[in-house]
């Protein structure tokens, strides 16, 4: 029998979450964001889950090619753009779109523009504006000039104007509220033609009035919350359930400790369940005492340090629990965001960190 740990991907829930994103943004097209192996769900599986998306967006050009080979016919967008001149030839060969966020990318495009233009290649590109995130993009005051450079190239087709929000989940942010990012965007984009793409999940869920021609939801499609509220409150469904089983039980007395470092000490006699799941499966090692875990559908708590292949839970109030009892680490019945919050991180990181050694099935 295989080790009992398992990730179950709920492809139907992926479809429903996408439908939710689209219903919240009437008139806009939707990229399904597939970064990081589809937020840990698998590229091909995410492609099927988001078959109704108008396009798929990711980071790596080789994975973009893979999507084409898997039969994806609609648009594909590289969110960080291209990393070299040679990527442009791959993009041309597979009809892949990209963000353009810096002068170096404009220069690469200019180098190949005459040659590719002559061959009839027309890239649809997404000119990115830095409206305060200060990662990628042209400053508002440099945007029109970058737009003009792109427009002048023979190999450029459509130009979408794009920006990314730093704080869409926190309307009252004291330093950079979303309203300020929108103000800068409008300033930089003033008078320029073409479609616009602004909203990530938080934008879609919390800022319905934003004008988008293309939305870029990621985490919400995977049933996770971008912040600013729980995923359930937004009507999203979990798409990944990480489950395992109890593989050992220890009865311990008052004063005895559990696990590496003997960090947890029992105050009274306890039953401890050992779960086949550890940090080498993607469970966060930093998860502290009290992190919620479901055993036979009942909520209990993590005790002791998470080790590589195992973690330990409190079974004192679960007398029926025994070897083989079903354990849910996150997913259906236990929101991933709750586990993440206990561990001081976000659902995104837990999903993306699902380890390759965990077998994955679909239901
Ligand atoms: C990751 C990413 C998204 C999706 O963000 P979520 O918070 O997961 O919805 C959208 N746009 C860009 C540019 C991204 O990098």
């Amino acid at each position: 029998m295989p080790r009992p740990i398992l990730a179950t991907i709920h492809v139907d829930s992926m479809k429903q979450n996408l439908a939710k994103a689209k219903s919240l943004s009437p008139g806009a097209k939707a990229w399904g964001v597939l970064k990081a192996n589809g937020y840990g769900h698998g590229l091909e599986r995410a492609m099927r889950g988001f078959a109704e998306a108008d396009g798929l967006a990711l980071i790596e050009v080789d994975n973009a090619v893979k999507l084409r080979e898997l039969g994806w016919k609609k648009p594909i967008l590289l969110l960080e753009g291209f990393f070299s001149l040679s990527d442009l030839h791959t993009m041309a060969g597979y009809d892949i779109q990209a963000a353009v966020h810096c002068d170096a990318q404009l220069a690469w495009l200019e180098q190949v523009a005459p040659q590719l233009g002559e061959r009839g290649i027309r890239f649809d590109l997404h000119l990115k504006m830095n409206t305060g995130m200060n990662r990628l993009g042209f400053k508002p005051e440099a945007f029109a000039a970058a737009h003009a450079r792109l427009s002048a190239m023979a190999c450029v087709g459509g130009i979408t104007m794009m920006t990314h929000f730093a704080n869409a989940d926190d309307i009252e942010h004291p330093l950079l509220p979303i309203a300020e990012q929108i103000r800068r965007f409008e300033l930089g984009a003033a008078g320029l033609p073409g479609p616009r793409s602004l909203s990530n999940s938080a934008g879609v869920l919390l800022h319905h009035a934003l004008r988008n021609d293309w939305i870029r939801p990621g985490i919400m499609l995977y049933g996770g919350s971008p912040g600013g509220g729980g995923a359930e409150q937004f009507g999203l469904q979990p798409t990944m359930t990480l489950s395992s089983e109890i593989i050992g039980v220890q009865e311990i007395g008052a004063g005895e400790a559990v696990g590496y470092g003997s960090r947890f000490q029992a105050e009274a006699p306890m039953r401890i369940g050992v779960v086949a799941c550890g940090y080498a499966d993607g469970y966060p090692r930093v998860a502290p005492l009290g992190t919620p875990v479901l055993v036979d559908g009942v909520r209990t708590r993590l005790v002791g340090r998470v080790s590589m292949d195992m973690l330990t839970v409190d079974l004192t109030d679960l007398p029926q629990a025994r070897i083989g009892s079903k354990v849910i680490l996150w997913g259906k019945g236990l929101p991933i965001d709750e586990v993440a919050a206990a561990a001081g991180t976000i659902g995104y990181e837990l999903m993306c960190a699902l380890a390759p050694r965990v077998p994955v099935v679909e239901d």
Side-chain angles (χ1 to χ4, degrees), residues 151-212:
S151 303
M153 294 183 217
C155 67
V156 173
I159 304 174
T160 301
M161 295 180 283
M162 168 186 177
T163 194
H164 194 49
F165 296 129
N167 303 310
D169 57 330
D170 183 0
I171 299 166
E172 303 290 321
H173 199 280
L175 215 55
L176 188 65
I178 187 169
E180 172 59 15
Q181 285 199 262
I182 293 165
R183 192 191 67 79
R184 293 182 192 178
F185 182 79
E186 294 299 348
L187 205 70
L192 296 174
R196 304 161 161 231
S197 176
L198 291 89
S199 291
N200 53 3
S201 295
V204 170
L205 290 168
L206 299 168
H207 306 278
H208 299 167
L210 274 177
R211 205 196 107 204
N212 276 279

Coordinates of all heavy atoms in Angstrom, one line a residue, residues 151-212:
S151 N 4.2 50.8 -30.6 CA 3.3 50.9 -31.7 C 4.0 51.1 -33.1 O 3.5 50.7 -34.1 CB 2.5 52.2 -31.5 OG 1.8 52.1 -30.3
A152 N 5.3 51.6 -33.0 CA 6.0 51.8 -34.2 C 6.6 50.6 -34.8 O 7.1 50.6 -36.0 CB 7.1 52.9 -34.0
M153 N 6.6 49.5 -34.1 CA 7.3 48.3 -34.6 C 6.4 47.4 -35.5 O 5.2 47.2 -35.2 CB 7.7 47.4 -33.4 CG 8.8 48.1 -32.5 SD 9.3 47.0 -31.2 CE 9.6 48.1 -29.9
A154 N 7.0 46.9 -36.5 CA 6.2 46.1 -37.5 C 5.7 44.8 -36.9 O 4.8 44.2 -37.4 CB 7.1 45.8 -38.7
C155 N 6.4 44.3 -35.9 CA 6.0 43.0 -35.3 C 5.0 43.1 -34.2 O 4.7 42.1 -33.5 CB 7.2 42.2 -34.9 SG 8.0 42.9 -33.5
V156 N 4.4 44.3 -33.9 CA 3.5 44.4 -32.8 C 2.1 44.5 -33.3 O 1.8 45.3 -34.2 CB 3.9 45.6 -32.0 CG1 2.9 45.9 -30.9 CG2 5.3 45.4 -31.3
G157 N 1.2 43.7 -32.8 CA -0.2 43.7 -33.1 C -0.9 44.6 -32.0 O -0.7 45.8 -31.9
G158 N -1.7 44.0 -31.2 CA -2.5 44.7 -30.2 C -1.6 45.1 -29.0 O -0.7 44.3 -28.7
I159 N -1.9 46.2 -28.4 CA -1.2 46.6 -27.1 C -2.3 46.7 -26.0 O -3.2 47.6 -26.1 CB -0.4 47.9 -27.3 CG1 0.6 47.8 -28.4 CG2 0.3 48.2 -26.0 CD1 1.3 49.1 -28.7
T160 N -2.2 45.9 -25.0 CA -3.1 46.0 -23.8 C -2.3 46.8 -22.8 O -1.1 46.6 -22.6 CB -3.4 44.6 -23.3 OG1 -4.1 43.9 -24.3 CG2 -4.4 44.7 -22.1
M161 N -3.0 47.6 -22.1 CA -2.3 48.4 -21.0 C -2.6 47.7 -19.7 O -3.8 47.4 -19.4 CB -2.8 49.8 -21.0 CG -2.4 50.5 -22.2 SD -3.0 52.3 -22.3 CE -4.7 52.1 -22.7
M162 N -1.6 47.5 -18.9 CA -1.7 46.6 -17.8 C -1.0 47.2 -16.5 O 0.1 47.8 -16.7 CB -1.0 45.3 -18.2 CG -0.7 44.3 -17.1 SD 0.2 42.9 -17.9 CE 0.5 41.9 -16.5
T163 N -1.6 46.9 -15.4 CA -0.8 47.2 -14.1 C -1.2 46.2 -13.1 O -2.1 45.4 -13.3 CB -1.1 48.7 -13.6 OG1 -0.1 49.0 -12.6 CG2 -2.5 48.8 -13.0
H164 N -0.5 46.2 -12.0 CA -0.7 45.2 -11.0 C -0.8 45.9 -9.6 O -0.1 46.8 -9.3 CB 0.4 44.2 -11.0 CG 0.2 42.9 -10.2 ND1 -0.9 42.2 -10.4 CD2 0.9 42.3 -9.3 CE1 -0.9 41.1 -9.6 NE2 0.3 41.1 -8.9
F165 N -1.8 45.5 -8.8 CA -2.1 46.2 -7.6 C -1.3 45.6 -6.4 O -1.2 44.4 -6.3 CB -3.6 46.1 -7.2 CG -4.5 46.8 -8.2 CD1 -5.6 46.1 -8.7 CD2 -4.3 48.1 -8.5 CE1 -6.4 46.8 -9.6 CE2 -5.1 48.8 -9.4 CZ -6.2 48.1 -10.0
A166 N -0.8 46.5 -5.6 CA 0.0 46.0 -4.4 C -0.9 45.7 -3.2 O -0.6 44.9 -2.4 CB 1.0 47.1 -4.0
N167 N -2.1 46.4 -3.2 CA -2.9 46.4 -2.0 C -4.4 46.3 -2.3 O -5.2 46.9 -1.6 CB -2.6 47.6 -1.1 CG -1.2 47.8 -0.7 OD1 -0.6 46.8 -0.3 ND2 -0.6 48.9 -1.0
A168 N -4.7 45.5 -3.3 CA -6.2 45.5 -3.7 C -7.0 44.8 -2.6 O -8.2 45.0 -2.5 CB -6.3 44.7 -5.0
D169 N -6.3 44.1 -1.7 CA -7.1 43.5 -0.6 C -7.2 44.4 0.7 O -7.8 44.0 1.7 CB -6.3 42.2 -0.2 CG -4.9 42.4 0.3 OD1 -4.3 43.4 -0.3 OD2 -4.4 41.7 1.1
D170 N -6.7 45.6 0.6 CA -6.6 46.5 1.7 C -7.0 47.9 1.3 O -6.1 48.7 1.0 CB -5.2 46.4 2.4 CG -5.2 47.3 3.6 OD1 -6.2 47.9 4.0 OD2 -4.1 47.3 4.2
I171 N -8.3 48.2 1.2 CA -8.8 49.4 0.6 C -8.2 50.6 1.3 O -7.9 51.6 0.7 CB -10.3 49.4 0.7 CG1 -10.9 48.2 -0.1 CG2 -10.9 50.7 0.1 CD1 -12.3 48.0 0.1
E172 N -8.0 50.5 2.6 CA -7.6 51.7 3.4 C -6.1 51.8 3.6 O -5.6 52.5 4.5 CB -8.3 51.6 4.8 CG -9.8 51.5 4.8 CD -10.4 52.8 4.3 OE1 -9.9 53.9 4.7 OE2 -11.4 52.8 3.6
H173 N -5.4 51.1 2.7 CA -3.9 51.1 2.9 C -3.3 52.5 3.1 O -3.5 53.3 2.2 CB -3.2 50.3 1.8 CG -1.8 49.9 2.2 ND1 -0.8 50.8 2.2 CD2 -1.4 48.7 2.7 CE1 0.3 50.1 2.6 NE2 0.0 48.9 2.9
P174 N -2.6 52.8 4.1 CA -2.2 54.1 4.4 C -1.1 54.6 3.4 O -1.1 55.8 3.1 CB -1.6 54.1 5.8 CG -1.3 52.6 6.0 CD -2.2 51.8 5.2
L175 N -0.3 53.7 2.8 CA 0.8 54.2 2.0 C 0.4 54.2 0.5 O 0.7 55.1 -0.2 CB 2.0 53.2 2.2 CG 3.3 53.8 2.1 CD1 3.5 54.9 3.1 CD2 4.4 52.7 2.4
L176 N -0.3 53.2 0.1 CA -0.6 53.0 -1.3 C -2.0 52.4 -1.5 O -2.1 51.2 -1.9 CB 0.4 52.2 -2.0 CG 0.4 52.1 -3.6 CD1 0.6 53.5 -4.2 CD2 1.3 51.1 -4.1
P177 N -3.1 53.2 -1.3 CA -4.4 52.7 -1.5 C -4.6 52.4 -3.0 O -4.0 53.0 -3.8 CB -5.3 53.8 -1.0 CG -4.5 55.0 -1.0 CD -3.1 54.6 -0.9
I178 N -5.5 51.5 -3.3 CA -5.8 51.1 -4.7 C -6.2 52.3 -5.5 O -5.8 52.5 -6.7 CB -6.8 50.0 -4.8 CG1 -6.9 49.5 -6.2 CG2 -8.1 50.3 -4.2 CD1 -7.7 48.2 -6.3
A179 N -6.9 53.3 -4.9 CA -7.4 54.5 -5.6 C -6.2 55.3 -6.1 O -6.3 55.8 -7.2 CB -8.2 55.3 -4.6
E180 N -5.1 55.2 -5.4 CA -3.9 56.0 -5.8 C -3.3 55.3 -7.0 O -2.8 55.9 -8.0 CB -2.9 56.1 -4.7 CG -1.5 56.7 -5.0 CD -1.6 58.1 -5.6 OE1 -2.6 58.8 -5.6 OE2 -0.6 58.5 -6.3
Q181 N -3.3 53.9 -7.0 CA -2.7 53.2 -8.1 C -3.5 53.4 -9.4 O -3.0 53.6 -10.5 CB -2.6 51.7 -7.8 CG -1.4 51.4 -6.8 CD -1.0 49.9 -6.9 OE1 -1.4 49.2 -6.0 NE2 -0.3 49.5 -7.9
I182 N -4.9 53.5 -9.2 CA -5.8 53.7 -10.3 C -5.5 55.2 -10.9 O -5.5 55.4 -12.1 CB -7.2 53.5 -9.9 CG1 -7.4 52.0 -9.6 CG2 -8.2 54.0 -11.0 CD1 -8.7 51.7 -8.9
R183 N -5.4 56.1 -9.9 CA -5.1 57.5 -10.4 C -3.9 57.6 -11.2 O -3.8 58.2 -12.3 CB -5.0 58.4 -9.1 CG -5.0 59.9 -9.4 CD -4.6 60.7 -8.2 NE -3.2 60.5 -7.9 CZ -2.1 61.1 -8.5 NH1 -2.3 61.9 -9.5 NH2 -0.9 60.9 -8.1
R184 N -2.8 56.9 -10.8 CA -1.5 56.9 -11.5 C -1.7 56.2 -12.9 O -1.2 56.6 -13.9 CB -0.4 56.2 -10.8 CG -0.1 57.0 -9.5 CD 1.1 56.3 -8.8 NE 1.3 56.8 -7.4 CZ 2.2 56.4 -6.5 NH1 3.0 55.4 -6.9 NH2 2.3 56.9 -5.4
F185 N -2.5 55.1 -12.9 CA -2.7 54.4 -14.1 C -3.5 55.3 -15.1 O -3.1 55.4 -16.3 CB -3.6 53.1 -13.9 CG -3.8 52.3 -15.1 CD1 -2.8 51.4 -15.6 CD2 -5.0 52.4 -15.8 CE1 -3.0 50.7 -16.7 CE2 -5.2 51.6 -16.9 CZ -4.2 50.8 -17.4
E186 N -4.5 56.0 -14.7 CA -5.3 56.8 -15.6 C -4.4 58.0 -16.1 O -4.5 58.3 -17.3 CB -6.5 57.4 -14.8 CG -7.5 56.4 -14.4 CD -8.1 55.6 -15.6 OE1 -8.0 56.1 -16.8 OE2 -8.8 54.6 -15.3
L187 N -3.5 58.4 -15.3 CA -2.6 59.5 -15.7 C -1.7 59.0 -16.8 O -1.5 59.6 -17.9 CB -1.7 59.9 -14.5 CG -1.1 61.2 -14.4 CD1 -2.2 62.3 -14.2 CD2 -0.1 61.3 -13.3
G188 N -1.1 57.8 -16.6 CA -0.1 57.3 -17.6 C -0.8 56.8 -18.8 O -0.2 56.9 -19.9
A189 N -2.0 56.4 -18.7 CA -2.7 55.8 -19.9 C -3.6 56.8 -20.6 O -4.2 56.5 -21.7 CB -3.6 54.6 -19.4
A190 N -3.6 58.1 -20.1 CA -4.5 59.1 -20.7 C -4.3 59.2 -22.2 O -3.2 59.4 -22.6 CB -4.2 60.4 -20.0
G191 N -5.4 59.1 -22.9 CA -5.3 59.4 -24.4 C -4.8 58.2 -25.2 O -4.8 58.2 -26.4
L192 N -4.4 57.1 -24.5 CA -3.9 56.0 -25.3 C -5.0 55.0 -25.5 O -5.8 54.7 -24.7 CB -2.7 55.3 -24.5 CG -1.5 56.1 -24.2 CD1 -0.5 55.4 -23.4 CD2 -0.8 56.5 -25.6
P193 N -5.0 54.4 -26.8 CA -6.1 53.5 -27.1 C -5.7 52.1 -26.6 O -4.6 51.8 -26.3 CB -6.0 53.5 -28.6 CG -4.6 53.8 -29.0 CD -4.1 54.6 -27.9
G194 N -6.7 51.2 -26.6 CA -6.5 49.8 -26.4 C -7.1 49.3 -25.1 O -7.5 50.0 -24.2
P195 N -7.2 48.0 -25.0 CA -7.8 47.3 -23.8 C -6.9 47.5 -22.6 O -5.7 47.8 -22.7 CB -7.9 45.9 -24.2 CG -7.0 45.7 -25.4 CD -6.8 47.0 -26.0
R196 N -7.6 47.3 -21.4 CA -6.9 47.5 -20.1 C -7.1 46.2 -19.3 O -8.1 45.5 -19.3 CB -7.6 48.6 -19.3 CG -7.6 49.9 -20.0 CD -8.7 50.7 -19.4 NE -8.4 52.1 -19.8 CZ -8.3 53.1 -18.9 NH1 -8.6 53.0 -17.7 NH2 -8.0 54.3 -19.4
S197 N -6.0 45.9 -18.5 CA -6.0 44.8 -17.6 C -5.4 45.2 -16.3 O -4.3 45.5 -16.2 CB -5.2 43.6 -18.3 OG -5.1 42.5 -17.4
L198 N -6.3 45.2 -15.3 CA -5.9 45.7 -14.0 C -6.0 44.6 -12.9 O -5.1 44.5 -12.0 CB -6.7 46.9 -13.5 CG -6.4 48.2 -14.3 CD1 -7.3 48.3 -15.5 CD2 -6.6 49.4 -13.5
S199 N -7.1 43.9 -12.8 CA -7.5 43.2 -11.6 C -6.9 41.8 -11.5 O -7.1 41.0 -12.3 CB -9.0 43.2 -11.5 OG -9.6 44.4 -11.3
N200 N -6.3 41.6 -10.3 CA -6.0 40.3 -9.8 C -7.2 39.8 -9.0 O -8.3 40.4 -9.1 CB -4.8 40.3 -9.0 CG -4.8 41.3 -7.8 OD1 -5.9 42.0 -7.7 ND2 -3.8 41.5 -7.1
S201 N -7.1 38.7 -8.3 CA -8.3 38.2 -7.5 C -8.9 39.2 -6.6 O -10.1 39.4 -6.5 CB -7.9 36.9 -6.7 OG -7.5 35.9 -7.5
A202 N -8.0 39.9 -5.8 CA -8.5 40.9 -4.9 C -9.3 42.0 -5.6 O -10.3 42.5 -5.1 CB -7.4 41.4 -4.0
G203 N -8.8 42.4 -6.8 CA -9.4 43.4 -7.6 C -10.8 42.9 -8.0 O -11.8 43.6 -7.9
V204 N -10.9 41.7 -8.5 CA -12.1 41.1 -8.9 C -13.1 41.0 -7.8 O -14.3 41.3 -7.9 CB -11.9 39.7 -9.5 CG1 -13.2 39.0 -9.8 CG2 -11.1 39.8 -10.8
L205 N -12.7 40.6 -6.6 CA -13.6 40.3 -5.5 C -14.0 41.5 -4.8 O -15.1 41.6 -4.3 CB -12.9 39.3 -4.5 CG -12.7 37.9 -5.0 CD1 -11.8 37.1 -4.1 CD2 -14.1 37.2 -5.2
L206 N -13.1 42.5 -4.7 CA -13.4 43.6 -3.8 C -13.6 45.0 -4.5 O -14.1 45.9 -3.9 CB -12.3 43.8 -2.8 CG -12.0 42.6 -1.9 CD1 -10.7 42.7 -1.2 CD2 -13.1 42.5 -0.9
H207 N -13.4 45.0 -5.8 CA -13.5 46.3 -6.5 C -14.2 46.1 -7.8 O -13.7 46.2 -8.9 CB -12.1 46.9 -6.8 CG -11.2 47.0 -5.6 ND1 -11.3 48.0 -4.7 CD2 -10.3 46.1 -5.0 CE1 -10.5 47.8 -3.7 NE2 -9.9 46.7 -3.8
H208 N -15.5 45.9 -7.7 CA -16.4 45.5 -8.8 C -16.5 46.6 -9.9 O -16.7 46.3 -11.0 CB -17.8 45.2 -8.3 CG -17.8 44.0 -7.4 ND1 -18.9 43.7 -6.6 CD2 -16.8 43.1 -7.1 CE1 -18.6 42.6 -5.9 NE2 -17.3 42.3 -6.2
A209 N -16.3 47.9 -9.5 CA -16.5 49.0 -10.4 C -15.3 49.2 -11.3 O -15.4 50.0 -12.3 CB -16.8 50.2 -9.7
L210 N -14.2 48.5 -11.1 CA -13.0 48.7 -11.9 C -13.3 48.4 -13.4 O -13.8 47.3 -13.6 CB -11.8 47.9 -11.4 CG -11.0 48.5 -10.3 CD1 -10.0 47.5 -9.9 CD2 -10.3 49.7 -10.8
R211 N -12.8 49.2 -14.3 CA -13.0 48.9 -15.7 C -11.8 48.0 -16.2 O -10.7 48.5 -16.2 CB -13.1 50.2 -16.5 CG -13.8 50.0 -17.8 CD -13.5 51.1 -18.8 NE -12.7 50.7 -19.8 CZ -11.9 51.5 -20.5 NH1 -11.8 52.8 -20.3 NH2 -11.2 51.0 -21.5
N212 N -12.1 46.8 -16.5 CA -11.1 45.9 -17.1 C -11.7 45.3 -18.4 O -12.8 45.0 -18.5 CB -11.0 44.6 -16.1 CG -10.1 44.8 -14.9 OD1 -8.9 44.7 -15.1 ND2 -10.7 45.1 -13.8

